[in-house]
């Protein structure tokens, strides 16, 4: 590009040439490449990636060393085969995944697209990968855009179209796009070919989905380009017949590709700990090698010295050896080959498959299936399964996560008066069923009606209508497209080709709730007049201006727009609204019910016209407004506006709605005090509020604004800031009309879930963009805040006051009573200050970590991620999880250790970004408390067991070195070394790690406190590791020295190792020892398991039987002499028979071992001796836990006072003396007395819902007995029950 710009022509296929003074630009093609490998690069890159892993590289070095040794102690096959097995299995898995990616790429790259051919003057079908920058592409309705295109023209005369961006940001609502004003008049390929050569100048490719700036030049004319002129690859065309666009970004330069970067890999705590264990064993391995090599040259062999010359003590070992560097190096690597088996090579591949298959159990869980949608659990990253069992801090979004994101209009404040839902309905209408249980108090002094309910003040009615018109017009809501639902002549298109969205004789269904409007008319002649017009659904705006009608209803003040009684609606019509947010949809739907309905938007060559249908006066009237400008909502202004022209009076009016903090300060007239008071009351009961204002504009004011806006829109630098200044100039001196109150309902099971998260020891933080009052009261409603919590407030702080406030809160927490509970409230402004100062961050962490609940309000998406990062990287480094449902939660979800997505109504961005996803917030209980607990327990024992079984077996190699003069001799044969981890001991632990349930699902859900038992990676601490290590050493010592005793016994004619008259030799010694170890390490799982199942038992029995049968067969194999001569290097003259054993050292050995009854009996004896300490420790732990539980219970009963009684808050007991309880109850009642009728969010309801039962002094013993009886002791001796939580009286 030139000067950071991206420049090309817009109607030439290979339009890369720019002006002579500009630089030629090379653009990439439109090929999509998500695959990692090609056929040629797969073998090299995949192997390179695999051997970047420390364990694989280590075993590769061992295999190479073993192959290079002149006389290795064991066959190189023992190292090469396991390594090849692991690498090949992983290669097959990754190769299959890449083949799937290639198929997906091929499908996208070969998809047919319609491209303009200038030579033919029409479009031709080509492949998507052939699109180049500068090509003009035709996209039809419901097709996906193949590249980033600048819209040149659409099917609508206005150049407007609609796209769905769910693939980019997860939002399923329709968003408008607009053609450039220089090209929007074109209607087909022929018109585009007639255009003069043009250029598009735009910024270089970047990943910012919210920004695009550029210019388009056609001949001598130019026009600005912004984000509304760009359609991105991956979006779909909806509600628009076709769009022509010029490709500006293709292939890897598209914004979708730029946003497809792989996020930083997340590693579980278990994986990090496992790497530490591997380092420990590598250090141990080096020590064993150095020790054995040193011992060999100290005591193991005859060395040449001046004293002994050629005298040999061990004549059978050969001549006296000299100490040489080459010999020492060879011995060093020989010991490396012998001892390397202590590190389990199959651990990685077993763990990978365990996580993959184990993750399926969450996906198959029927408890996680939503009955409405049929969706269930989803896993995007099975590498983090066990991290679900380690969560200490949970960060949660509010809207759509804790709430359903279904908005219901509840109340409105209009010109200082409060109106309930049913009070705003037209006369004669009945309240909707879902509003009969309104949670807000009934009006008294400022009621719309007199005591008998029959009078409606005309002045109030004018204000109501003006307020409702503002809501019905100030939005970006669209009415459903006609041809999607209509058939025959009922679907009309105007002669100009513009689709009309005024739908009189057609039933359209709402996306969420059908809205039926019974239209009324007073003049049947007007109905006949309408029918005579045939398919013309709406008179053009030019016809309406200046027309009159005798039956026009009474006007409701100035600026109302033109009545149009020539239109008659169906008596049972339905309207479908598509809105950018649930709030807007709720407001427009409410206006429709209140008698001021938005009928649709009509696009003609003369402009855009909005239609209202009003029925409040008892008859139906139509009003039309010309839409001049929409000032879109943005997070900085926190408001949106629309500028309309009244076609009756030609007056220009501005309507604005937004956050009260951004609207009310810009008003110069209105009921400020009353409206602010009502907004605070609405927020206090958890309702979402918006302020509404208006302003009359003069023609010259509007023209001046339009000129400034055009100038700002063409700026290449700071365009957004300049446009924002123009908006601020016009959005001032407004008249405040009132405010709305909308309820966002809580999801089912939210309260119970949050309570259980708290009992499980998980600190829950709510991060929301809502205002302080709304956030606090929703938090009370869902049980996140309890009435007895002391709230520490850090809102409305400055950089000067923040430090002092945190110091005061820190002192309060330090000197508070042990039973006191605190909650913290902080807003985005305070967090901005905190993030900028390291000392503030440390101080904030110290305060927040001591609080049971934390609420962060007025948060931006970036601040959510920053909060998660701050806590995650703090000194204590707690394991964090973040849960959300919308695109604004993606940064937070990706930043946390564990990302959780809710399949909500805000698209699928959060689901795609999350590691785990499920339909409802209530499913968090099962996912974390049950699956998380099981995942961690299984994986932790899998890791410990793998190291245990290798130490138990291969430590015997070191012991054996003391008895063979450190002569690099192995005690086990090559086949046994090779198959130990792959075949003999792999299946039982794999099934154990998939199915083990140390506690049942019911107990884990009923007693959430059990979740805390595994905090801070408890099962993989060094203490637990060395306990397993000690058990492994004990088992190896028992079997090695037990069998050594068996072999060295000479009490009975040469010892116990005599069978069939033959003495069992060294190979038999190793075979008997190996068989005992294989049997023990498999049986060990039976004693470790808390829930035996048929699969585990059969796998253990099967593994032991497989070893016996395979070894029996392997020790029996002999091969023809010709094969031995050809493949094994035997000398035919020395064979002396027709066949030779496959392995002469082990041939027929196992038969002799099994034929000895003493071997069988001694094996059984050693198994009992080895496993006895495990059984004794298990029994002692269980009964010791019972003893401690009874002792602690007795001590609590003895120390209780008789003058106290308990008050239970959600399974947690709080005791107080009678007078202190009275004071607390009085304080809570005063705090919560505002609205005791709240259905979901009334604070007053907490005094009922939290106070489950109050026991009197006389009942305290009964209560104590009741709690004490609800206890059980698990198999490890842990006491679990409510008494752990509630009986500290």
């Amino acid at each position: 590009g030139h000067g950071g710009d991206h420049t090309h022509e817009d109607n030439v296929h290979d339009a890369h040439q720019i002006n002579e003074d500009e630089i030629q630009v090379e653009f990439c093609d439109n090929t999509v490449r998500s695959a990692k490998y090609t056929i040629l690069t797969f073998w090299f890159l995949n192997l390179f990636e695999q051997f970047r892993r420390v364990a694989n590289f280590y075993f590769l070095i061992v295999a190479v060393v073993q192959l290079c040794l002149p006389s290795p102690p064991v066959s190189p096959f023992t190292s090469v085969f396991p390594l090849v097995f692991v690498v090949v299995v992983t290669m097959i898995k990754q190769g299959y995944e890449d083949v799937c990616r290639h198929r997906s790429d091929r499908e996208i790259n070969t998809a047919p697209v319609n491209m303009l051919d200038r030579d033919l003057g029409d479009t031709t079908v080509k492949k998507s990968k052939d699109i180049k920058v500068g090509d003009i592409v035709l996209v039809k309705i419901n097709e996906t855009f193949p590249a980033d295109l600048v819209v040149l023209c659409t099917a609508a005369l206005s150049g407007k179209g609609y796209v769905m961006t769910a693939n980019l940001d997860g939002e399923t609502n329709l968003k408008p796009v607009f053609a450039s004003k220089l090209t929007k008049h074109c209607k087909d390929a022929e018109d585009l070919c007639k255009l003069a050569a043009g250029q598009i100048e735009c910024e270089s490719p970047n990943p910012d989905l919210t920004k695009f700036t550029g210019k388009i030049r056609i001949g001598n004319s130019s026009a600005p380009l912004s984000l509304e002129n760009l359609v991105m690859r991956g979006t779909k065309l909806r509600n628009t017949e076709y769009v022509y666009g010029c490709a500006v970004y293709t292939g890897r330069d598209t914004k979708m590709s730029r946003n497809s970067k792989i996020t930083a890999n997340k590693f579980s705590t278990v994986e990090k700990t496992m790497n530490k264990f591997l380092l420990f064993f590598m250090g141990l391995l080096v020590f064993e090698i150095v020790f054995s090599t040193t011992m060999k040259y100290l005591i193991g062999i005859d060395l040449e010295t001046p004293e002994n010359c050629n005298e040999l003590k061990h004549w059978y070992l050969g001549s006296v050896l000299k100490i040489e560097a080459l010999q020492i190096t060879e011995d060093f690597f020989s010991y490396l080959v012998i001892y390397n088996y202590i590190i389990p090579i199959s651990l990685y591949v077993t763990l990978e498959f365990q996580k993959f298959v184990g993750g399926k159990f969450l996906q198959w869980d029927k408890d996680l299936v939503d009955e409405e949608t049929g969706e269930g659990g989803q896993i995007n990253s099975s590498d983090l399964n066990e991290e679900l069992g380690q969560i200490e801090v949970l960060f949660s979004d509010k809207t759509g996560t804790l709430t359903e994101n279904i908005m219901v209009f509840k109340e409105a404040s209009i010109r200082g008066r409060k109106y309930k839902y049913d009070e705003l309905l037209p006369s004669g209408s009945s309240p909707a069923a879902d509003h009969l249980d309104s949670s807000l108090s009934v009006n008294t002094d400022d009621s719309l009606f007199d005591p008998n309910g029959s009078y409606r003040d005309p002045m109030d009615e004018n204000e109501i209508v003006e307020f409702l018109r503002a809501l019905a017009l100030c939005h970006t809501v669209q009415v459903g497209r006609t041809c999607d639902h209509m058939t025959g002549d009922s679907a009309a298109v105007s002669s100009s080709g513009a689709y009309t969205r005024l739908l009189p004789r057609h039933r359209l269904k709402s996306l969420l709730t059908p809205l039926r409007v019974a239209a009324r008319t007073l003049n049947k002649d007007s109905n006949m007049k309408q029918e005579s017009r045939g398919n013309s659904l709406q008179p053009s705006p030019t016809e309406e201006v200046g027309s009159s009608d005798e039956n026009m209803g009474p006007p409701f003040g100035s600026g109302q727009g033109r009545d149009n009684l020539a239109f008659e609606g169906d008596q049972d019509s339905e309207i479908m609204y598509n809105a950018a947010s649930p709030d807007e949809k709720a407001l427009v739907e409410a206006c429709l019910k209140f008698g001021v309905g938005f009928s649709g938007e009509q696009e003609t060559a003369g402009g855009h016209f909005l239609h209202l249908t009003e029925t409040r006066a008892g008859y139906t009237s139509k009003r039309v407004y010309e839409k001049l400008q929409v000032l879109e909502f943005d997070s900085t202004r926190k408001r949106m506006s629309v500028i309309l022209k009244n076609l009756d009076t030609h007056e220009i009016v501005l309507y604005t709605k937004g956050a009260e903090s951004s609207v009310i300060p810009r008003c110069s007239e209105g009921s400020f005090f009353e409206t602010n008071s009502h907004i605070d009351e609405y927020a206090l009961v958890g309702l979402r509020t918006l302020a509404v204002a208006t302003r009359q504009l003069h023609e010259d004011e509007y023209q001046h604004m339009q000129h400034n806006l055009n100038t700002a829109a063409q700026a290449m630098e700071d365009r957004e800031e300049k446009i924002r200044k123009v908006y601020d100039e016009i959005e001032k001196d407004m008249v405040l009309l009132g405010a709305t109150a909308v309820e966002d309902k809580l999801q089912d099971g939210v309260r119970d879930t949050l309570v259980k998260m708290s009992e499980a020891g998980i600190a829950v933080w709510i991060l929301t963009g809502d205002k302080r009052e709304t956030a606090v009261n929703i938090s009370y409603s869902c049980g996140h805040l309890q009435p007895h919590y002391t709230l520490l407030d850090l809102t409305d702080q400055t950089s000067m006051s923040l430090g002092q406030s945190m110091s005061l809160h820190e002192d309060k927490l330090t000197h508070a009573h042990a039973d006191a509970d605190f909650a913290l409230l902080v807003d985005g402004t305070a967090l901005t200050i905190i993030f900028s100062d390291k000392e503030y961050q440390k101080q904030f962490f110290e305060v927040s970590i001591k609080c049971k609940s934390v609420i962060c309000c007025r948060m931006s998406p970036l601040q959510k991620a920053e909060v998660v990062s701050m806590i995650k990287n703090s000194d204590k480094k707690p394991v964090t999880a973040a849960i959300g449902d919308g695109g604004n939660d993606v940064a937070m979800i990706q930043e946390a250790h564990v990302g959780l997505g809710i399949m909500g109504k805000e698209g699928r961005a959060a689901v795609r970004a999350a590691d785990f996803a499920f339909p409802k917030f209530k499913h968090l209980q099962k996912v974390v408390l049950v699956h998380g607990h099981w995942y961690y327990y299984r994986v932790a024992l899998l890791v410990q067991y793998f190291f245990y079984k290798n130490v138990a077996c291969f430590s015997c190699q070191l012991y054996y070195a003391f008895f063979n003069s450190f002569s690099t001799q192995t005690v086990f044969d090559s086949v046994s070394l090779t198959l130990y981890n792959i075949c003999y001991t792999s299946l039982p632990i794999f099934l154990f790690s998939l199915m083990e349930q140390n506690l049942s699902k019911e107990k884990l859900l009923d007693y959430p406190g059990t979740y805390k038992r595994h905090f801070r990676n408890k099962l993989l601490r060094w203490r637990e590791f060395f306990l397993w290590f000690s058990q492994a050493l004990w088992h190896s010592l028992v079997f090695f020295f037990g069998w050594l005793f068996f072999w060295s016994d000479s009490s009975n004619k040469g010892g116990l190792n005599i069978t069939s008259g033959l003495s069992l030799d060294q190979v038999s010694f190793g075979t008997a020892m190996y068989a005992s170890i294989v049997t023990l390490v498999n049986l060990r799982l039976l004693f470790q398991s808390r829930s035996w199942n048929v699969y585990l038992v059969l796998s253990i029995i099967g593994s032991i039987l497989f070893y016996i049968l395979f070894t029996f067969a392997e020790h029996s194999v002999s091969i023809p002499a010709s094969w031995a001569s050809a493949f094994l290097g035997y000398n035919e003259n020395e064979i002396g028979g027709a066949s030779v054993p496959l392995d002469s050292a082990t041939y027929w050995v196992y038969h002799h071992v099994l034929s000895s009854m003493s071997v069988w009996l001694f094996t059984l004896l050693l198994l009992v001796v080895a496993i006895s300490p495990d059984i004794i420790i298990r029994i002692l732990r269980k009964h010791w836990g019972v003893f401690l539980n009874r002792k602690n219970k007795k001590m609590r009963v003895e120390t209780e006072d008789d003058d106290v009684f308990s008050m239970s808050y959600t399974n947690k007991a709080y005791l107080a003396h009678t007078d202190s309880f009275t004071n607390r109850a009085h304080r809570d009642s005063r705090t919560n007395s505002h609205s005791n009728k709240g259905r979901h969010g009334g604070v007053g309801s907490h005094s009922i819902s939290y106070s489950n039962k109050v026991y009197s002094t006389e009942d305290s013993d009964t209560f104590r007995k009741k709690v004490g009886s609800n206890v059980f002791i698990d198999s490890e001796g842990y006491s679990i029950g409510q008494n752990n939580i509630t009986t500290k009286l």
Side-chain angles (χ1 to χ4, degrees), residues 767 835 859-870 888 890-893 895-896:
L767 311 182
F835 292 146
M859 297 276 288
S860 68
L862 181 59
Q863 284 180 321
K864 291 182 180 181
E866 289 174 338
V867 168
V868 175
S869 177
M870 180 179 66
N888 62 331
V890 169
M892 166 179 81
I893 288 172
E895 181 63 36

Side-chain angles (χ1 to χ4, degrees), residues 420-450:
K420 294 173 66 65
Y421 174 86
D422 53 344
E423 295 172 347
L424 290 173
L425 291 171
S427 300
S429 300
S430 59
D434 57 348
H435 289 81
L436 290 176
D437 57 347
S438 177
S439 63
L440 300 176
S441 58
V442 179
N443 286 329
T444 53
D445 298 337
D446 56 356
S447 176
L448 176 65
F449 305 101
D450 61 9

